[in-house]
Amino acid sequence: MSERNARTDSEGPNTSVTSVASATSGFDQASFTATLTDGDAGSTGAGASDPSTAIARPTVRWGALVWSLLFGALAATTLWVIVEPARRDAVGAAFANLSPLAAALYALLGLGVLVVVFGLVALIRRGERARR
């Protein structure tokens, strides 16, 4: 058995925990309660009433919100289609009867929607930067 293990075994399992707890407890309950009750309730420290030291509000990530709405709408539409077998068959038949020109135009339309969403997110980002 090594020297460290022998020393640890002779001290007992809770001795090191007690010594660490007593070494790290630099305050007592009374000073902690006095700290909480002194000063303004709800203040954020020295000069909390000064607007220059106010905590900044968290920013809303509007781009993420736009993308989540888009993906949510796509997921809801997909679920609406696949839940009922009649709708699923109708969509399958519509895709099967789609001409190559119509498929290309629908793909172009989908690409246009993506470009519009990217543009909308960029405008939102520019507005957020101008507000800061």
Side-chain angles (χ1 to χ4, degrees):
M1 192 184 295
S2 72
E3 180 181 310
R4 183 175 187 277
N5 288 342
R7 188 176 62 229
T8 305
D9 289 341
S10 66
E11 292 174 353
N14 294 329
T15 307
S16 60
V17 173
T18 306
S19 63
V20 169
S22 64
T24 58
S25 64
F27 67 92
D28 58 344
Q29 184 66 32
S31 65
F32 182 71
T33 306
T35 304
L36 287 179
T37 57
D38 290 343
D40 280 310
S43 88
T44 57
S49 61
D50 185 16
S52 64
T53 61
I55 297 174
R57 292 177 46 199
T59 58
V60 176
R61 299 188 59 203
W62 292 103
L65 185 64
V66 169
W67 282 108
S68 67
L69 289 174
L70 180 73
F71 288 130
L74 182 67
T77 303
T78 303
L79 283 174
W80 180 75
V81 167
I82 66 172
V83 165
E84 190 174 327
R87 275 189 240 137
R88 191 173 40 226
D89 293 338
V91 170
F95 280 141
N97 294 332
L98 199 60
S99 70
L101 178 64
L105 289 175
Y106 281 128
L108 189 62
L109 182 68
L111 185 64
V113 167
L114 284 177
V115 168
V116 167
V117 170
F118 274 116
L120 181 65
V121 169
L123 285 174
I124 290 171
R125 187 179 311 128
R126 181 177 292 191
E128 284 179 349
R129 285 184 186 160
R131 225 179 322 157
R132 286 186 214 162

